[in-house]
Amino acid sequence: MLPVVVVHGGAGHIPKDRSEMSTAGVCSAARAGYTILRGGGSSMDAVLEAVSILENNPCFNAGCGSVLNIKGEVEMDAIVMDGLTLGSGAVSAVRNIANPIQLARLVMDKTSHSCLTAEGASQFARSMGVPEVSPESLITEYSHMRWAKNLAPDANPVESQMGKMGTVGAVAVDSEGNIACATSTGGMLNKMEGRVGDTPCIGSGGYADNQVGAVSTTGHGEAIMKVTLARLILFHMEQGQSVEAASDLGLAYMKSRVSGLGGVVSVDPQGRWAARFSSLQMSWAAAQTETLHYGLYVGEHFTQSLGGAPLTGSTAHLASKPLG
């Protein structure tokens, strides 16, 4: 069952004209993460590579595809966590950085802190030799269009957010049995300047523990924080629930208790995994035992050989029931 990597490209409603790009993006990220694992690499290296690829893909709300705040600027959040040591690193409200997930790992590896924010994070990045990029390079035409549209008085940014491929993330277990997670986001569409959501908050945006498993989340950040979704799902796993059942329980509680929609990718120490969501869609992909798994809608599960068979040749199976 080991190694395994599972990635998501955000929960919500993905427009048809962008769904193929989203699926291709998560499949590419899962393949890259699995290549590292297959070569004997660590789970941390695998999730970092997978999420970096998604940050570099303008289809996703992370890195160069990030949504804009109320002032039309990019502010990004990211977290990594190592299940062996429970070490973690996070950054919040960072600008001018192409790959916040890599900066989050530097916070974990090179400081005694767990999270750095805004200008302090930027100063740390410079001290580590992380190159700065121009703010314009992180803003896509699509993000700018949606920002302008949501400036209208009657706009609903939370509802509109679910129309944008969201937060990206990954979980993995390597051949040594070590577990890691990584999550990165541009945050909430037209958010207030300085708003920080669930992503960089340990236990909300992600959590990894070799003794239990790992979770990376996506959805409405304020709702995820209220229920500490990642840790809640791992709690259910500690109580004996399967990865899939625990993920469904956590998502169902968030929906019933705070009317929040979202999605997760989860894994346990044995390499059993799940990609579950209460939103209309979530692009996801997993790589395990030379097989690529992926889907977009509830109940959708396609597989193909990692040998490179075309996506269009895949077959659907293992349909699962929608949540609540």
Side-chain angles (χ1 to χ4, degrees):
M1 295 284 281
L2 301 179
V4 59
V5 59
V6 195
V7 307
H8 69 76
H13 169 64
I14 301 166
K16 245 187 179 158
D17 60 334
R18 300 178 73 83
S19 61
E20 281 186 19
M21 292 186 291
S22 177
T23 297
V26 291
C27 286
S28 174
R31 283 176 178 273
Y34 189 70
T35 297
I36 287 174
L37 294 171
R38 192 165 47 186
S42 71
S43 54
M44 179 57 69
D45 286 344
V47 295
L48 203 78
E49 178 68 12
V51 170
S52 293
I53 284 174
L54 295 172
E55 287 178 335
N56 294 338
N57 186 330
C59 286
F60 300 99
N61 177 17
C64 68
S66 294
V67 299
L68 309 184
N69 67 16
I70 194 69
K71 293 174 66 177
E73 299 167 341
V74 166
E75 291 180 299
M76 301 167 289
D77 308 326
I79 191 170
V80 297
M81 187 163 181
D82 179 349
L84 176 63
T85 64
L86 299 190
S88 67
V91 292
S92 62
V94 296
R95 308 165 182 251
N96 306 354
I97 300 288
N99 294 108
I101 202 69
Q102 295 181 21
L103 186 58
R105 184 178 187 173
L106 287 171
V107 171
M108 179 178 72
D109 289 345
K110 303 295 185 182
T111 81
S112 58
H113 303 315
S114 293
C115 185
L116 294 178
T117 193
E119 182 53 33
S122 295
Q123 290 175 17
F124 172 66
R126 286 191 289 270
S127 75
M128 289 287 107
V130 176
E132 290 191 352
V133 298
S134 69
E136 297 74 29
S137 69
L138 300 173
I139 299 176
T140 63
E141 283 185 27
Y142 185 66
S143 291
H144 191 270
M145 175 272 292
R146 295 179 70 250
W147 167 74
K149 186 177 175 183
N150 277 277
L151 290 177
D154 59 345
N156 183 343
V158 172
E159 189 177 302
S160 181
Q161 174 81 5
M162 300 311 277
K164 172 76 167 79
M165 284 173 271
T167 299
V168 303
V171 294
V173 191
D174 60 30
S175 301
E176 302 289 316
N178 290 320
I179 302 176
C181 72
T183 312
S184 181
T185 189
M188 178 64 62
L189 182 66
N190 290 44
K191 63 191 177 183
M192 292 174 64
E193 186 176 11
R195 177 266 188 186
V196 175
D198 66 291
T199 296
C201 299
I202 189 169
S204 291
Y207 201 88
D209 182 346
N210 277 14
Q211 297 180 12
V212 190
V215 179
S216 172
T217 68
T218 171
H220 184 207
E222 278 70 13
I224 290 171
M225 284 190 284
K226 287 173 184 174
V227 301
T228 53
L229 183 60
R231 195 62 189 83
L232 175 63
I233 288 168
L234 291 175
F235 165 77
H236 286 302
M237 289 167 63
E238 286 174 316
Q239 302 305 304
Q241 296 288 345
S242 69
V243 183
E244 187 168 283
S247 299
D248 286 352
L249 282 167
L251 287 165
Y253 178 73
M254 184 170 78
K255 186 177 180 182
S256 65
R257 186 71 177 85
V258 295
S259 303
L261 299 179
V264 299
V265 289
S266 313
V267 70
D268 74 7
Q270 288 72 46
R272 293 180 289 253
W273 57 271
R276 307 293 287 170
F277 47 101
S278 53
S279 55
L280 185 63
Q281 294 154 287
M282 181 181 80
S283 58
W284 63 269
Q288 184 179 46
T289 58
E290 300 306 313
T291 303
L292 181 70
H293 307 254
Y294 62 96
L296 180 65
Y297 292 91
V298 170
E300 190 173 75
H301 186 146
F302 299 99
T303 59
Q304 72 176 90
S305 165
L306 278 167
L311 290 175
T312 52
S314 304
T315 54
H317 67 292
L318 298 180
S320 49
K321 294 176 183 175
L323 291 171

